[in-house]
């Protein structure tokens, strides 16, 4: 076996799984921002609250 064969990183499972996790983290970040912005609204702005 040559020395260059030991340096192949593309066969590592983490390298091949990264393209599947990046969109997941992007969706989670968008949902987190929406929840954060919704929680910061004034309570008086909600339509479903009773006076």
């Amino acid at each position: 076996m040559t020395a260059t064969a030991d340096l192949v990183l593309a066969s590592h499972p983490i390298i091949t799984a990264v393209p599947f996790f990046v969109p997941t983290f992007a969706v989670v970040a968008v949902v987190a921002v929406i929840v954060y912005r919704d929680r910061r609204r004034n309570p008086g702005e909600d339509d479903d609250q009773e006076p």
Side-chain angles (χ1 to χ4, degrees):
M1 187 176 271
T2 62
T4 57
D6 293 334
L7 299 176
V8 176
L9 298 176
S11 65
H12 197 278
I14 293 176
I15 299 295
T16 58
V18 167
F20 298 105
F21 287 113
V22 171
T24 304
F25 291 138
V27 170
V28 169
V30 168
V31 170
V33 168
I34 291 171
V35 168
Y36 175 74
R37 291 180 73 189
D38 187 52
R39 295 285 181 169
R40 290 188 46 131
R41 286 192 331 181
N42 291 331
E45 294 178 5
D46 291 339
D47 294 334
D48 58 343
Q49 283 188 346
E50 296 188 21

